[in-house]
Amino acid sequence: MDLRQVFTVDLLERYAAKGHGVITCMASGNDVIVLGTSTGWLIRHDFGGGDSYDTDLSTGRAGEQSIHRVFVDPGGSHCIATVIGTGGSDTYYMHAKWSKPRVLVKLRGLVVNAVAWNRQQITEVSTREVILGTQNGQLYEIAVDEKDKREKYVKFLFELIEFPVPFEGLQMETASSNNGTRYYIMAVTSTRLYSFTGIGLLETIFASYVERAVHFMELPGEIPNSELHFFIKQRRAVHFAWLSGAGIYHGGLNFGAQNRTPNGDINFVENKALLSYSKVKVVNRISEQIVEELQFDQTSETASKGIIGLSIDASAGLFYAYDENSIFQVSVTDEGRDMWKVYLDLKEYAAALANCSDPFQRDQVYLVQAEAAFSSKDFFRAASFFAKINYALSFEEITLKFIGIGEQDALRTFLLRKLDSLVKDDKCQIMMISTWATELYLDKINRLLLEDDSPDKRNSEYQSVIMEFRAFLSDSKDVLDEATTMTLLESYGRVDELVYFASLKEQHEIVIHHYIQQGEAKRALDVLQKPGVSVELQYKFAPDLIMLDAYETVESWMTRNDLNPRKLIPAMMSYSSEPHAKNETHEVIKYLEYCVHRLQNEDPGVHNLLLSLYAKKEDDSTLLRFLQCKFGKGRSNGPDFFYDPKYALRLCLKEKRMRACVHIYSMMFMHEEAVALALQVDPELAMAEADKVEDDEDLRKKLWLMVAKHVVEQEKGTKRENIRKAIAFLKETDGLLKIEDILPFFPDFALIDDFKEAICSSLEDYNQQIEKLKEEMNDATHGADNIRNDISALAQRYAVVDRDEECGVCRRVILSAGADYRISRGYTTMGPLSPFYVFPCGHAFHAQCLVAHVTKCTDPNQAEHILDLQKQLTLMSVEPNVNVNVNGGLNGVADDSITSVAPVDKIRSELDDAIASECPFCGDLMISEDKFDTCLHNLSRYFHLEMMYSASEIHSDFDASVDNPKSLEFRAHSFFNGNH
């Protein structure tokens, strides 16, 4: 038990009057204390700012002066003081920022006993409306602004006419309403407490009491210093206390109350009580018991007179007491620490709980309530209170109480309430209590099931408990042990609740299996459609669901794009094996068509299954459309169809779908088999199949011969009519078959006269073809002669080379003597000139320079080939002439009749082709070397030349005239090149 005192007294200031007489009055607000003395001095102590100063209000007044009353607003800025002397009384106003006070002239002669500040509206610079209570029983309204240095106005409000006694205390509170500001005013005399209320201006409110009675409370007894105080909590008055002759009259303040007094005013006072007193003691206003008696450290001079009064600083929450010389501070420590006991003794449990400061105190309150309810056999209420106890009683003690009296329902209630009070960290205890509660629920349900014999239990207590139990399972699904709970539910035979709990725990397989057992396919499919349900369950339960409700199952499948139809094939085959009505929609076909056409499924198994179902239908039109559809059309590197053609052929042969077989044969390029089978079905179909072959003319003719043979053999008319039909058939082949092609199909005894017309027509066609071939042969002969003439003319072509023409590589003159003749060996030379090449574009190159340039610019393989040819040519030119006989032997004796230079000419020709097939500055080689602009320029200069010539083969009549050395003309053999 806490033995510390709630109230303690500390001496704040020993000689607070500072030698200016004795203290007569005191007021405080916001850490500011203002004292009035018997010699007319005001002494201000600002504990917040740390300063104090004295003001003499008796200056200029004759005789002895004394401060009668002093008042300070809650903010500590405004001060009102009344001075009484031999010359009368004056009331002063002083602001905290002023150095001297100002007399309120309009109040001269009035003795102010009480002041009510408007705490809601007052500011530091303005008092706003203030109510003053005087010695002669009058009330005035006054307002002062700090900047005006005087009162703004003074208004008379009210006067006690029948019983004119002094007002000893005033308090005011305001509240906002839709119509304006409502004022609540309390005023006390030594024996009465008056209440005023109204909306509007104070002057108007008090004027209304001229014609109606004022509500008041009167107590017997007399007291020299009656006081009225409001207890402020969060800027709002919540309690009042009136110090009267009969005791301390106190109560609560409810400014929102609607109770009316007999005169029509709102009665805002409630819970009134009267405390008797004899000395300065601390009394609990609830229990009316004396808690403590305060001892003040008084001097011997003031001890006999005692404490004069108390002062409250509502803003700072401080309490002061004073005697004639000293100021005491009354400190409050944990004022409400034992209030829970007070309220508990009064059986005000809600108030007791509100004043508890720790769990142990709350346990005591709950225990008293629980025991009271248990004693009165209100077990459910007792269970709720017991569940809130954490320390006073153990869990086992409480449960044994209910088990001992056989109250299973109350025990269940206790467990449920206990679960609400446990924290999440108590996982083991939560799981244990939840499991126990589950078993109690199941026991209750079974007992009700046995007791309730009514056929309809939907509105009974049984159904109510079922719903409550399911709600409990939903709330506790995360704390209940899954295996234990399912075992309990199964042992009590609660299949529906087992399924419900499995659904809560997302044990979808159990739920789906239950619905299938109950024949509720739609509900099972709804579970499968929930997010988070494994797609594997779709495949597992597909056979059962499609047999149970094919339409709903397929509709459910078609709403999803994540299913693999291949895994559904066993279920679909099982369904398809069952007999179905003739006009019934085949749900599997519907789903497979959805997969193939909408989802563009490419699985061969899916396509094969759909094809097999089409093959079993009486009408083969859908089968043929399916076979003709190119599902892979538009896809890169993909097939036109995805079913297995061999399987399709076997299936269609088995089901005798011959047209489909014809299509499959054709698709597999087995055209002979397709035509042969089509002839058994429809000759027109066979003709169409024969016409499909376009690339292979021989095969196409063979197929048409098969059709022709069938047509000839199947005709049953007269012989001449058969022949006419056969000849008409030939016209349908567009000339592919002739009469001689089909003659072997007719019998040997057929007369040739019957084919006379057809044979003559065929012979005429052959004759036209022969004449056409003769014309083509004549044209070819004429063209060959022209080519021979052109070749002969080319041998006489020549080119003119200027004497100062330069080599395109070394930039030396082409017709200069060569210093190195190694490259020229094997060539026919003219005097000392080096071998060179001249191209139709006009460019000329020394042979050696051209070889070097081309080998440098071309690819390595080609360069190696050129150098090899050059090496072979050089070796042949330096070796002695050898004879080659027909047997392949070599003779050292030259024989002009058998000597041949053909190998040298061949190698030279190959070398020319390798280096001089095109101008290196104007051909492809130039483009790769980025010399295209240079070539265009040179080509424009020499565009008149048309042919390339080899300088090594030039035979000319050389004019060596020194007088005219401007040009040399060479008549050369033409080196023909097809690219130029």
Side-chain angles (χ1 to χ4, degrees), residues 777-797:
M777 291 175 65
N778 291 333
D779 292 340
T781 302
H782 181 68
D785 292 340
N786 290 335
I787 291 173
R788 291 189 190 97
N789 294 334
D790 290 342
I791 292 174
S792 299
L794 284 175
Q796 305 301 320
R797 299 291 294 275

Side-chain angles (χ1 to χ4, degrees), residues 453-520:
D453 297 330
S454 61
D456 185 7
K457 299 181 175 65
R458 287 176 297 178
N459 299 321
S460 64
E461 183 185 358
Y462 170 80
Q463 289 295 331
S464 176
V465 175
I466 288 289
M467 297 303 295
E468 184 182 337
F469 179 46
R470 290 196 174 192
F472 168 75
L473 290 176
S474 178
D475 294 338
S476 307
K477 67 179 186 297
D478 296 327
V479 298
L480 285 169
D481 180 71
E482 184 177 320
T484 304
T485 305
M486 287 189 173
T487 302
L488 275 174
L489 293 169
E490 187 177 4
S491 64
Y492 278 85
R494 303 307 305 174
V495 179
D496 291 340
E497 283 69 39
L498 174 63
V499 172
Y500 179 77
F501 183 71
S503 178
L504 293 173
K505 298 296 290 184
E506 297 184 352
Q507 292 289 343
H508 305 296
E509 187 171 349
I510 297 175
V511 179
I512 296 168
H513 179 75
H514 170 74
Y515 287 143
I516 290 176
Q517 292 294 323
Q518 298 297 319
E520 300 179 3

